[in-house]
Amino acid sequence: MEGTRGADPGERSPLLGGGGGGSGRWRGRGPPGGPSSFQGRRLACAAVLLAELLERAAFYGVTSNLVLFLNGPPYSWEGAQASQALLLFMGVTYLVSPFGGWLADALLGKFGTILLSLALYLLGMLAFPALAAPGTRQALCGEIPLASVQNCASRAGANATLAPCAPAGPTRYCSVAVFAGLALVGLSVGSVKANITPFGADQVKDRGPEATRRFFNWFYWSINLGAIVSLGGIAYIQQNVSFVIGYIIPTVCIGISFMVFLCGQSFFITKPPDGSAFTDMFKILAYSCCSRKRSREHRTNSEIQEVLQQPRKQSLFEMAKMSHGGPFREDKVEDVKALVKIIPVFLALIPYWTVYFQMQTTYVLQSLHLKIPEISNVTTHIHTFPAAWLTMFDAVLILILIPLKDKVVDPILKRNGLLPSSLKRIAVGMFFVMCSAFAAGILEGNRLSIVKVKTINQTIGNVTYYAADLPIWWQIPQYVLIGFSEIFASIAGLEFAYSAAPKSMQSAIMGLFFFFSGIGSFVGSGLLALVSINAIGWMSNHTDFGNINGCFLNYYFFLLAAIQGATLLLFLIVSVKYDRQRSRTNGVTASGRT
């Protein structure tokens, strides 16, 4: 991070210093954490935060009840199938992030890429009201197949596995249209995600690392406020009123987000594309590997022995530098070397994301089979507590604790020299998410023991579930634990990805951070598919669409907790090694400057 700096070539700054409490041109930097951290940048930051808030409201408007939407008529997808679809969707949103970073760096710039992505986002969101409305759904999907109409579970009684009839096999009605809409939205979300975070940080970057740290705190706060708006209102409408209206609202949110960002270009700090770091990275890696292979073929024994005595990493990358006869500038090679050191940290975070994404998939599936209270209303139709509302415990906790952390805890720790590094905070977050999966497994084991004796019939939306006579509030601990994990791991992960990245690779490395998050979602989907095969049978219950009383979801949760526990130990080793390397590098740099 830098303090004051000159403008980059081609960088466009606002003529009036951003408004919102700032004077014309900012000079100098106020005290860290002081009120001047955002002075002159408040309007730009507010526009970014508002656009992100609305985008998150739309995103959670899709994800919060997608399992319920696909689980109910006329789709009648199995619970595992609906959960896999959501995990695949979230995986796509993160996997395409590097492409979004490349598009910004090489062609359009961050601002242009975000604007184009929001436009495509809006186009994709239009598919969901169309899928929810009967007329347009039939035009998109055709007639409902017989296998989807024949729901054997409706006559199965308490033990759902003893259903007297069985359809020919589980089908996914309207799967092409559903996955097409999810793919278009997922591609757009991933591109926005890769660029809006570094774009927002660029607005305050010249104010120093303290301003950047505070921006990430409030950026994450905005994400969770958008989640609460969506889960509190949109999810309720989808479950108790209409999915058509419930999908129109998030579509409008994306439209407003697009307009906010479009109108904000007059006071944003923007930078033109200056070449893709990914292109340089792959060229340098390819050249280094190929050069090393060629040199081995032509070296004598004495030369090989001399090379083996050199540090391994140095021999791999140094030969790509112009000073060693290679075609690449010194700074480009050093950037790639920095990237290679960051990748192990991202790899270690994959199991964390695998557990984290259960919050909107298998956790919701579990909640649908717990006793959900009814909500009194002025209509004759019975309204039930939305299962997706439990996710708000996570979001509300973050809304409360982030300002407390930003204003009270962090300043106290910093004054006493106790503020932990971002990697240490990530490790704490991993511990909490492991505890969350373990708590979910214990609850599921208790739920299964209860449904073997007695079940209660409850209608959620248009679907009847055979649930345990166990209040849904028992899920609160696992959601609270995930909330604590986010405060430590997710925020620290964003901060680490941005601060550890060389200046020329910030979008690229932020994209890679989300890319590995997407891998975590795909790992969760793959594990769910694996434990659904008949040979394992933890989630095999094809005669009972949606219900999981004949499954062993608790085994799946315990498996996730065990994987995260093992990874936590590995991460502690990786993080200690990385911190030592970084301290050594900073020490060498400082002595060189002296």
Side-chain angles (χ1 to χ4, degrees), residues 46 52 88 93 121 193 239 247 254 288 355 378 504:
E52 178 65 7
L88 289 172
T93 65
Y121 201 150
K193 188 182 293 291
Q239 181 168 314
Y247 280 139
I254 281 298
S288 299
V355 179
V378 295
S504 63

Side-chain angles (χ1 to χ4, degrees), residues 74-75 127 129-144 173-174 176-178:
Y75 299 98
L131 288 170
T136 51
R137 180 183 61 238
Q138 187 170 356
L140 288 171
C141 309
E143 296 293 333
I144 304 173
Y173 170 60
C174 207
V176 175
V178 169

Side-chain angles (χ1 to χ4, degrees), residues 83-91 357-358 361 521-522 524-525 528:
S83 296
Q84 288 171 20
L86 183 51
L87 284 169
L88 289 172
F89 165 70
M90 291 190 292
F357 288 126
Q358 305 306 312
T361 52
S521 182
F522 275 107
S525 179
L528 201 56

Side-chain angles (χ1 to χ4, degrees), residues 261-293:
F261 215 81
L262 180 63
C263 296
Q265 62 182 319
S266 61
F267 46 79
F268 283 143
I269 295 175
T270 60
K271 300 176 183 178
D274 56 357
S276 170
F278 282 116
T279 304
D280 295 333
M281 177 183 69
F282 287 123
K283 286 181 179 179
I284 292 172
L285 289 173
Y287 179 86
S288 299
C289 293
C290 293
S291 297
R292 185 174 185 177
K293 184 177 180 180

Side-chain angles (χ1 to χ4, degrees), residues 236 239-240 366-377 381-390 393 456-461 467-476:
Y236 181 88
Q239 181 168 314
N240 292 296
Q366 183 186 53
S367 68
L368 293 171
H369 296 83
L370 295 169
K371 186 177 181 180
I372 298 178
E374 296 178 356
I375 300 176
S376 60
N377 63 92
H381 180 68
I382 297 176
H383 288 193
T384 54
F385 180 90
W389 272 12
L390 283 180
F393 284 99
I456 57 174
N457 294 353
Q458 63 181 6
T459 301
I460 309 296
D469 192 10
L470 184 66
I472 195 175
W473 313 120
W474 284 102
Q475 277 194 310
I476 292 177

Side-chain angles (χ1 to χ4, degrees), residues 86-98 193 220 343 345-358 489-490 493-494 497 509-525:
L86 183 51
L87 284 169
L88 289 172
F89 165 70
M90 291 190 292
V92 168
T93 65
Y94 288 90
L95 282 179
V96 299
S97 292
K193 188 182 293 291
Y220 214 80
I343 292 297
V345 177
F346 290 171
L347 286 170
L349 274 169
I350 290 177
Y352 170 82
W353 295 114
T354 300
V355 179
Y356 173 82
F357 288 126
Q358 305 306 312
S490 296
L494 287 173
I509 289 183
M510 193 66 69
L512 285 175
F513 173 78
F514 291 120
F515 174 83
F516 285 105
S517 305
I519 291 179
S521 182
F522 275 107
V523 168
S525 179

Side-chain angles (χ1 to χ4, degrees), residues 275-513:
S276 170
F278 282 116
T279 304
D280 295 333
M281 177 183 69
F282 287 123
K283 286 181 179 179
I284 292 172
L285 289 173
Y287 179 86
S288 299
C289 293
C290 293
S291 297
R292 185 174 185 177
K293 184 177 180 180
R294 287 194 301 267
S295 63
R296 278 180 174 177
E297 294 173 355
H298 295 89
R299 281 184 179 130
T300 63
N301 290 335
S302 60
E303 289 174 332
I304 292 175
Q305 185 175 1
E306 181 181 348
V307 170
L308 290 176
Q309 292 174 353
Q310 299 175 359
R312 189 175 183 86
K313 290 182 180 177
Q314 183 176 353
S315 64
L316 177 63
F317 292 109
E318 293 299 316
M319 63 182 65
K321 294 181 177 180
M322 288 182 177
S323 60
H324 290 74
F328 300 101
R329 299 201 320 260
E330 311 281 322
D331 59 331
K332 295 290 186 182
V333 177
E334 290 298 324
D335 287 350
V336 174
K337 290 171 67 175
L339 174 64
V340 171
K341 294 176 183 178
I342 295 172
I343 292 297
V345 177
F346 290 171
L347 286 170
L349 274 169
I350 290 177
Y352 170 82
W353 295 114
T354 300
V355 179
Y356 173 82
F357 288 126
Q358 305 306 312
M359 179 172 59
Q360 293 169 298
T361 52
T362 53
Y363 281 15
V364 173
L365 196 60
Q366 183 186 53
S367 68
L368 293 171
H369 296 83
L370 295 169
K371 186 177 181 180
I372 298 178
E374 296 178 356
I375 300 176
S376 60
N377 63 92
V378 295
T379 66
T380 57
H381 180 68
I382 297 176
H383 288 193
T384 54
F385 180 90
W389 272 12
L390 283 180
T391 311
M392 287 199 300
F393 284 99
D394 160 71
V396 170
L397 185 69
I398 291 172
L399 284 181
I400 295 172
L401 293 183
I402 282 182
L404 182 65
K405 175 179 179 293
D406 181 66
K407 300 289 187 181
V408 180
V409 178
D410 283 356
I412 293 175
L413 292 176
K414 187 175 181 180
R415 282 197 301 268
N416 292 278
L418 299 175
L419 188 65
S421 68
S422 56
L423 293 181
K424 290 178 181 176
R425 282 177 276 155
I426 290 174
V428 174
M430 286 181 170
F431 174 77
F432 279 121
V433 86
M434 177 188 69
C435 293
S436 175
F438 191 71
I442 293 175
L443 175 62
E444 182 63 15
N446 292 335
R447 192 194 69 81
L448 289 175
S449 64
I450 292 175
V451 297
K452 289 178 182 177
V453 179
K454 177 186 176 183
T455 61
I456 57 174
N457 294 353
Q458 63 181 6
T459 301
I460 309 296
N462 297 318
V463 185
T464 298
Y465 292 93
Y466 303 107
D469 192 10
L470 184 66
I472 195 175
W473 313 120
W474 284 102
Q475 277 194 310
I476 292 177
Q478 65 202 56
Y479 281 98
V480 169
L481 286 167
I482 279 211
F484 278 115
S485 81
E486 279 196 85
I487 292 171
F488 287 98
S490 296
I491 297 176
L494 287 173
E495 183 183 336
F496 171 80
Y498 186 82
S499 61
K503 183 179 177 182
S504 63
M505 300 185 73
Q506 283 168 348
S507 288
I509 289 183
M510 193 66 69
L512 285 175
F513 173 78

